[in-house]
Amino acid sequence: MSDFDRRQFLGLGAAAAAAGLATGCAPGGSDAGAPDLIVVNGNVLTQDDAHPNAEAFAIHSERFVAVGSTSDVRNLAGPNTTVIDAEGMTVLPGFIDAHSHPSGAGLNELRNVNTNLGSVARIQEALRERAASTPPGEWIIGFMYDDTKQEEGRPLNRVDLDAVTTDHPIVVGHRGGHTGVYNSMAFELAGVTAETRDPFGGHFYRDEGGLTGKVAERARAVFDVPSGSTPEERARGVGAICRAMNASGLTSVHQAGTSRSDFIAYQDARASGGLSLRMNLMARGATFPALMQSGVRTGMGDEWLRIGPVKFAADGSASERTMAMSTPYAGRPDDFGILTMTQDEIHDAVEQAHRAGWQVAIHANGDVTIDMVLNAYERIAREYPRDDTRHRLEHCSLVNPDLLRRIADGGYIPAPFYTYAHYHGEKWIEYGEEKMEWMFAHKSFMDYGIPVAPASDHSPGPYEPLMALQSMVTRKDFSGRVWGPSQRVTLDQALKICTMHGAYASHEEDVKGSISAGKLGDFVMLAESPYDVDPDAIKEIQIVRTVVGGVTVHEA
């Protein structure tokens, strides 16, 4: 055994003993306490700074119990131990997505019309098909629409939807989650005309022909769109999205906004065997006061379902170009975006949650909004100090040196979009080159010593971690255009963001984020090493296997 292997292996003795492993247990011996699973002959990139590389590891009772050389780890196997030969493939800790909306995404796929079809005409066709089987007067709901990705070179509008049907109200929601397009019947039912005033935090879009159909942020609240679904459907939706995310290498996800029905759906999915992601659930809406009044706070739960922060939303969207900024959008000199909370509302929300022992997470895209949230975090730290809160800035899209300094000084956690530079490239022209050097600023966060969290915001952004690695390393969009090259990170940094930093964002760095003895046995096996392929092809690497707690949840 080499000195390196010996140091690494011996350092795990206590954890192995605690798990009941017999030291030196050889194949064919007693199976008492032997590992459930062993992986050998791998290129194991542990993300453990003390021991960054290994060949093999063992899992017992859902946790890693030994990490080291193939020969040493193989000796721990018992008669019933499953042995996987990685055959030189790259193995990483399970990827973590620290901001996503999986339960809603899964349910949408079961109930509504997926309009991620790439053309207005195909969207109309899909909606007509649904309308033909829907009783008159009932809503037709589309989702995953993207205004900049249509073959016609223009966005969907009210007239397009009126051509589908006049017998049903229609809404087609943008995948960004902050705007929708409605038909005339929907506006009539809501009592909205071109003369209707915009509410605070919302906007009805108009042109010379009247209402365009597009509605943003809080203005959408006037539409009585049904959201009903059965508990069985919601649980099936959770199972479906778990399988899809597992196939991308994800093993843990933070749900950004969890309703009462979502909490039930995750528990039902777990009871039925459909839950294969470890979930950190951010409370939102009516669930937060109910939990707070019951004495529940961040951290309650177990390794599968855990209460995370409370989430609020203070401004608009980056992908839908509604986030609140100190300078206007390119080509729109009077458009500075939309705030959805006032400074006083942010102060009140943060104080209430912080004093009740909660971690706080606030959606803040633009620099104006980030400043407002930091004002509240800094005030509460002075007036009601608490150790290691790790209050979060969800999205934290547009920063500057002063904001970066304040985030670092306060120990706050930014969670910027990790696939956006690549996937949404055609939208960034509305921000311009100068702003893009400060957007999704993973490199700046790392330079300031800030443990920036990995975040897809799915459905608004793709959740695939390999696309995230490629996006953060190259900053290239689909056409090859580079957006904000100064914010490129190294592959080492990108991997750390998608693993250890994801764990840190939920105070779980001691139980996940690296392949280390004592941590949860979650890992992903790749057909190729991301270090060996062209950086522009990282997203094409095959996910061979995803394992959660020693159980294979995806196999190619």
Side-chain angles (χ1 to χ4, degrees):
M1 187 189 303
S2 71
D3 288 342
F4 173 78
D5 286 338
R6 182 175 296 278
R7 287 196 307 272
Q8 186 170 1
F9 190 75
L10 292 180
L12 307 176
L21 287 179
T23 303
C25 177
S30 169
D31 201 37
D36 305 308
L37 175 69
I38 282 176
V39 174
V40 297
N41 298 321
N43 171 33
V44 183
L45 307 179
T46 67
Q47 303 308 303
D48 182 337
D49 290 339
H51 307 293
N53 301 99
E55 296 174 340
F57 53 80
I59 296 174
H60 179 70
S61 297
E62 296 196 24
R63 291 182 180 262
F64 297 112
V65 291
V67 184
S69 69
T70 289
S71 59
D72 290 327
V73 173
R74 195 189 290 275
N75 283 336
L76 298 172
N80 296 315
T81 299
T82 298
V83 179
I84 296 174
D85 188 341
E87 299 179 332
M89 288 187 285
T90 293
V91 184
L92 289 158
F95 291 118
I96 298 171
D97 183 349
H99 184 116
S100 189
H101 304 272
S103 63
L107 186 60
N108 263 329
E109 291 289 353
L110 291 178
R111 290 180 59 87
N112 299 321
V113 182
N114 190 323
T115 57
N116 186 23
L117 299 172
S119 87
V120 170
R122 286 193 289 273
I123 291 173
Q124 289 176 307
E125 182 180 352
L127 295 171
R128 283 193 191 98
E129 183 176 343
R130 176 60 60 90
S133 61
T134 302
E138 291 190 10
W139 279 83
I140 308 297
I141 302 171
F143 69 101
M144 289 291 282
Y145 160 68
D146 193 321
D147 65 309
T148 64
K149 297 186 185 296
Q150 307 307 312
E151 288 177 359
E152 291 84 354
R154 64 170 181 85
L156 188 70
N157 60 41
R158 176 178 57 86
V159 175
D160 296 324
L161 298 184
D162 287 346
V164 171
T165 178
T166 57
D167 295 330
H168 305 80
I170 301 176
V171 57
V172 177
H174 197 286
R175 68 177 297 158
H178 289 250
T179 64
V181 184
Y182 299 77
N183 70 346
S184 293
M185 185 175 184
F187 282 108
E188 290 167 8
L189 290 172
V192 174
T193 70
E195 286 71 46
T196 301
R197 293 181 63 181
D198 290 341
F200 169 76
H203 185 54
F204 299 109
Y205 288 78
R206 307 165 179 85
D207 60 16
E208 63 279 358
L211 294 165
T212 67
K214 181 179 176 181
V215 181
E217 307 298 344
R218 284 185 169 183
R220 295 174 299 158
V222 303
F223 299 96
D224 188 20
V225 182
S227 57
S229 56
T230 67
E232 292 76 18
E233 285 176 321
R234 292 192 290 271
R236 284 196 294 120
V238 167
I241 195 64
C242 281
R243 291 188 295 274
M245 287 182 145
N246 290 151
S248 76
L250 285 165
T251 58
S252 291
V253 173
H254 301 187
Q255 167 131 335
T258 310
S259 67
R260 179 180 181 274
S261 60
D262 291 330
F263 279 114
I264 293 169
Y266 281 112
Q267 292 175 84
D268 288 348
R270 184 179 186 180
S272 64
L275 183 68
S276 53
L277 290 168
R278 303 187 190 277
M279 297 300 307
N280 187 59
L281 302 171
M282 301 187 199
R284 191 175 184 185
T287 61
F288 170 59
L291 289 169
M292 184 178 61
Q293 290 163 15
S294 299
V296 174
R297 60 177 179 257
T298 301
M300 185 175 180
D302 61 18
E303 291 147 358
W304 283 98
L305 295 175
R306 184 177 185 275
I307 301 295
V310 56
K311 188 207 171 192
F312 303 98
D315 75 344
S317 160
S319 64
E320 293 162 275
R321 289 87 72 207
T322 60
M323 71 188 204
M325 304 185 295
S326 59
T327 56
Y329 286 87
R332 304 201 301 275
D334 297 323
D335 187 353
F336 293 80
I338 298 173
L339 283 170
T340 58
M341 294 177 76
T342 66
Q343 182 69 76
D344 285 344
E345 287 173 332
I346 295 171
H347 278 309
D348 291 345
V350 170
E351 179 174 338
Q352 182 187 43
H354 174 93
R355 294 182 67 183
W358 282 71
Q359 184 184 23
V360 183
I362 302 184
H363 164 124
N365 267 303
D367 55 343
V368 167
T369 324
I370 295 167
D371 173 71
M372 294 167 67
V373 172
L374 290 175
N375 290 341
Y377 287 170
E378 290 161 350
R379 168 184 168 269
I380 209 71
R382 291 190 304 269
E383 297 183 10
Y384 304 97
R386 231 178 71 203
D387 291 337
D388 198 25
T389 60
R390 303 187 200 178
H391 292 326
R392 296 174 44 154
L393 294 138
E394 304 306 305
H395 312 320
C396 201
S397 292
L398 177 61
V399 295
N400 57 51
D402 180 61
L403 295 176
L404 289 164
R405 176 190 56 78
R406 293 166 66 190
I407 293 167
D409 289 349
Y412 308 123
I413 307 296
F417 306 103
Y418 67 4
T419 54
Y420 266 34
H422 176 67
Y423 185 80
H424 284 304
E426 71 281 353
K427 299 174 175 63
W428 309 140
I429 194 168
E430 296 188 44
Y431 292 91
E433 295 282 355
E434 183 177 353
K435 276 195 179 79
M436 285 303 297
E437 295 291 353
W438 293 100
M439 287 181 65
F440 325 131
H442 293 92
K443 176 66 160 54
S444 291
F445 290 126
M446 298 293 282
D447 288 347
Y448 276 74
I450 298 166
V452 53
S456 73
D457 199 31
H458 184 74
S459 297
Y463 53 71
E464 289 82 355
L466 294 182
M467 182 188 292
L469 297 179
Q470 179 174 320
S471 184
M472 288 187 285
V473 168
T474 69
R475 300 281 294 200
K476 289 182 183 178
D477 66 14
F478 278 97
S479 71
R481 181 169 179 177
V482 177
W483 294 100
S486 67
Q487 293 299 339
R488 287 170 168 154
V489 299
T490 67
L491 184 53
D492 284 351
Q493 290 173 322
L495 286 169
K496 193 70 73 177
I497 289 168
C498 290
T499 54
M500 281 301 298
H501 287 194
Y504 185 85
S506 57
H507 294 262
E508 293 180 286
E509 68 272 20
D510 291 336
V511 297
K512 63 174 68 168
S514 67
I515 297 176
S516 307
K519 289 192 176 184
L520 295 165
D522 305 342
F523 68 90
V524 59
M525 188 178 295
L526 311 182
E528 300 173 273
S529 169
Y531 290 93
D532 293 341
V533 303
D534 185 322
D536 293 326
I538 291 174
K539 70 178 184 181
E540 306 300 335
I541 296 173
Q542 183 185 33
I543 304 292
V544 175
R545 184 186 298 266
T546 305
V547 173
V548 182
V551 176
T552 296
V553 294
H554 166 75
E555 189 172 3

